[in-house]
Amino acid sequence: MLSARACLGRVLLLPRAGAGLAASRRGSSSRDKDRSATVSSSVPMPAGGKGSRPSSTPQRVPNRLIHEKSPYLLQHAYNPVDWYPWGQEAFDKARKENKPIFLSVGYSTCHWCHMMEEESFQNEEIGRLLSEDFVSVKVDREERPDVDKVYMTFVQATSSGGGWPMNVWLTPNLQPFVGGTYFPPEDGLTRVGFRTVLLRIREQWKQNKNALLENSQRVTTALLARSEISVGDRQLPPSAATVNSRCFQQLDEGYDEEYGGFAEAPKFPTPVILSFLFSYWLSHRLTQDGSRAQQMALHTLKMMANGGIRDHVGQGFHRYSTDRQWHVPHFEKMLYDQAQLAVAYSQAFQISGDEFYSDVAKDILQYVTRSLSHRSGGFYSAEDADSPPERGMRPKEGAYYVWTVKEVQQLLPEPVLGATELLTSGQLFTKHYGLTEAGNISPSQDPKGELQGQNVLTVRYSLELTAARFGLGVEAVRTLLNTGLEKLFQARKHRPKPHLDSKMLAAWNGLMVSGYAVTGAVLGQDRLINYATNGAKFLKRHMFDVASGRLMRTCYTGSGGTVEHSNPPCWGFLEDYAFVVRGLLDLYEASQESAWLEWALRLQDTQDRLFWDSQGGGYFCSEAELGAGLPLRLKDDQDGAEPSANSVSAHNLLRLHGFTGHKDWMDKCVCLLTAFSERMRRVPVALPEMVRALSAQQQTLKQIVICGDRQAKDTKALVQCVHSVYIPNKVLILADGDPLSFLSRQLPFLSTLRRLEDQATAYVCENQACSMPITDPCELRKLLHP
């Protein structure tokens, strides 16, 4: 079902000997952070996630992937393929036997990854080819984003597309020479089948190996030059005003006036864009462009929340919409989307005061708490798109989430009293949420016909219009709809659930800590801040090595809900450090517990040691040792479905400078921004989060200091006042009067700030000068938001 753009790209056939770099100059150079790709396909094909589809028959003997922890690798443990995990054993075998490496990369909830597994990797003949003529390696892209990024760069550059599954053939020295995405098992009218590709590559390796090796070396050399990001001769980053304006103009040109968002289809939430628009509004409040930026962001968030991309029954957001109306989604739910969207909707509430947005933020976190949370405080990665409509049936995409009119009418048969016509709750519900007898999913979005007669819930009318249509009060309609949603939720519990990817990633857990901390702080809900605290404790207990000061990338849910690790452990990448540091800084500002700030500083020191490019500036995505042997060591240069770790690091460095006054972190931030100057000048819309950091660096950071006791009511009132105002370029500091406290030692000027008449007192400091003392939250709000 659905558009093929999410997982598929153009298949790359064998390069001609001597073709050299011509192929590598085609196509997009951007990283595929949002997993979106250009498609070359003769027929519409579904994209999305895998349900609990069996990957084996019981009599099959497991391969060596059975010893792995990754849910994705375990899904391939019974293939008749001699799979290896990524590692030295596979590389040594390839060199010893002089065989090419077949590298297949995917993730646990990828529909087309599992289509290829069923069609090709479970095929005995194809399994023999892969085992006898290649060294076959399986990689979970969420475990090894460095491997994924390197070879996706090759696939995108040589085929003008990208996506998952990603299949690349490598020399024994790990240099790529052929790549593609999904392959059907056999030849079709317009596509070469996987078996044919394997036979051609086997033949070419035997007859033209030297040409393949030379071509591979040329392409790798060119990719290395193209992907270099460095300070070069530049001394300073570009003008924030110029880059900001260009970024806004590029977004404005692609904005969908009617439905919000910034593309025709598919449409991704892309919270980094919304965050940029809010920041742009704040610095251009009195201009037409500023008002326009605010309207674009708020309208997009409202249309998404009303659309089918939001799960109105069970809360949370699906990964993307297959149409411009936000109507029919790809039904997979990702942790990173929930985390970032909770922050986006909280910020929308800060800016607009409209409780519609705060309600959505709370709903998102309700979903995460219920469905994506480990009992020890960590957060799972994703829920799948596919599930069996009934037990024992083959999984279908969206089966868990869609409804027929008949089902709804049977669940909601009660008459509605006071309506101007005979009306049941089910009829009211189907009208409001746009359900029809024939189903509201277009055949073009359901090429396999799996969802005929089914409906995706999407809000078609406001409460006021629905109430007026039936002569009812708005609150009565609200109650009827909420009651209906609850009954559907209870009924849905009896359906087979989608597969849960219970892998836990440090990076995404860091984003989720931010989601709970920021939302809890904005809404003044300690319960949500406690979830953030528990998430941070989980990270420190289960994903942090005290001896080395390093983060681990992954941990897994074991039997009985225990927490397990791979052996050896998978160490953290740049995004793990950057996102966890951001989470800890947000948690400190929400809780005022300085231990989280101290840990953030230590992790930043480790990040600088492991990833900083002392020659070119900016951070590499992976450690030098961890990526040994890979042909490229990259710096991610795109804010997509997740922000670039370099973008987040730029913000972190600015905030840490504000919390500590340490000049070296400001210097690093300037150097990082300078290294990415050319990218920001040329295509600022590719890095909206970094453009936001550039603006913050060239403006004045506010240090908002609250002098008071953390648990005192007057202190909490001032703190809550700060959180109620949208101020992205600030640090919030609690000064409790202890001269030996961590922050007092970092910022000596705090000892000069006094409480006024023994009351909690606020100071707003900029450029080493502080405001007059303020004890009234209303006066503080006026100062912060004139």
Side-chain angles (χ1 to χ4, degrees), residues 1 79 87 115 146 154 169 264 288 309 314 385 389 402 494 498 514 634 651 679 701:
M1 181 205 138
N79 296 160
M115 283 296 292
D146 57 332
F154 167 78
W169 285 262
E264 284 294 313
Q288 187 174 352
I309 192 174
V402 294
H494 298 288
S514 286
L634 299 172
H651 286 280
R679 178 75 162 157
L701 183 95

Side-chain angles (χ1 to χ4, degrees), residues 419-723:
T420 54
E421 59 188 76
L422 288 176
L423 182 72
T424 66
S425 294
Q427 289 169 328
L428 175 79
F429 192 94
T430 57
K431 184 73 173 178
H432 186 77
Y433 286 106
L435 281 68
T436 68
E437 292 282 355
N440 64 11
I441 299 170
S442 166
S444 65
Q445 295 169 293
D446 181 27
K448 291 186 177 180
E450 293 182 332
L451 297 176
Q452 288 181 1
Q454 300 285 348
N455 293 272
V456 174
L457 269 58
T458 178
V459 176
R460 299 303 300 272
Y461 307 100
S462 67
L463 287 172
E464 291 77 11
L465 281 174
T466 299
R469 166 71 177 78
F470 298 110
L472 297 167
V474 171
E475 288 308 311
V477 169
R478 190 193 310 274
T479 300
L480 286 166
L481 293 174
N482 287 340
T483 300
L485 290 170
E486 177 60 25
K487 287 185 177 180
L488 265 63
F489 177 71
Q490 294 302 326
R492 204 170 76 175
K493 286 182 178 179
H494 298 288
R495 296 177 174 180
K497 289 198 68 175
H499 159 72
L500 171 70
D501 186 337
S502 59
K503 174 175 74 269
M504 289 170 274
L505 301 172
W508 297 1
N509 272 251
L511 289 176
M512 204 64 243
V513 168
S514 286
Y516 276 104
V518 171
T519 305
V522 170
L523 303 184
Q525 295 197 4
D526 290 341
R527 179 179 61 88
L528 299 179
I529 297 172
N530 289 338
Y531 283 120
T533 301
N534 291 337
K537 287 178 179 177
F538 180 91
L539 283 162
K540 196 163 190 179
R541 186 183 307 119
H542 295 291
M543 307 190 79
F544 177 64
D545 181 62
V546 177
S548 65
R550 294 162 78 194
L551 286 171
M552 298 175 201
R553 168 70 174 175
T554 59
C555 63
Y556 308 87
T557 305
S559 58
T562 57
V563 178
E564 298 180 350
H565 297 87
S566 56
N567 187 20
C570 183
W571 295 108
F573 296 91
L574 174 64
E575 65 183 36
D576 296 299
Y577 288 84
F579 296 177
V580 170
V581 168
R582 170 185 273 187
L584 295 174
L585 297 180
D586 289 336
L587 180 54
Y588 166 71
E589 293 197 350
S591 68
Q592 289 82 53
E593 293 183 19
S594 62
W596 301 122
L597 182 57
E598 293 184 56
W599 190 30
L601 265 66
R602 291 202 299 274
L603 287 178
Q604 187 65 51
D605 283 334
T606 304
Q607 175 183 320
D608 292 348
R609 174 170 55 85
L610 296 176
F611 303 100
W612 181 254
D613 179 2
S614 57
Q615 295 182 325
Y619 293 98
F620 290 109
C621 293
S622 59
E623 293 183 41
E625 288 185 14
L626 189 62
L630 285 172
L632 304 172
R633 192 179 181 206
L634 299 172
K635 299 173 187 174
D636 200 6
D637 63 351
Q638 181 166 336
D639 296 320
E642 303 163 66
S644 156
N646 270 288
S647 298
V648 173
S649 294
H651 286 280
N652 291 345
L653 292 166
L654 285 173
R655 294 172 75 182
L656 288 168
H657 175 258
F659 280 121
T660 66
H662 294 179
K663 184 176 180 294
D664 56 333
W665 274 327
M666 176 60 80
D667 292 343
K668 264 195 170 63
C669 178
V670 172
C671 185
L672 184 158
L673 294 170
T674 304
F676 284 84
S677 290
E678 186 58 31
R679 178 75 162 157
M680 284 193 285
R681 279 197 190 98
R682 194 163 42 89
V683 201
V685 74
L687 281 167
E689 186 72 4
M690 189 172 289
V691 173
R692 221 167 56 79
L694 177 69
S695 299
Q697 187 271 322
Q698 294 182 12
Q699 295 169 2
T700 304
L701 183 95
K702 284 184 170 68
Q703 292 170 304
I704 303 172
V705 182
I706 310 294
C707 299
D709 297 323
R710 187 163 71 93
Q711 298 299 338
K713 285 185 178 180
D714 55 355
T715 302
K716 289 184 176 182
L718 290 174
V719 167
Q720 187 55 43
C721 171
V722 175
H723 288 312

Side-chain angles (χ1 to χ4, degrees), residues 277-295:
L277 290 171
F278 284 147
S279 291
Y280 190 86
W281 160 77
L282 188 66
S283 57
H284 298 78
R285 282 198 308 278
L286 303 179
T287 70
Q288 187 174 352
D289 281 354
S291 299
R292 168 79 169 160
Q294 184 201 58
Q295 180 268 332

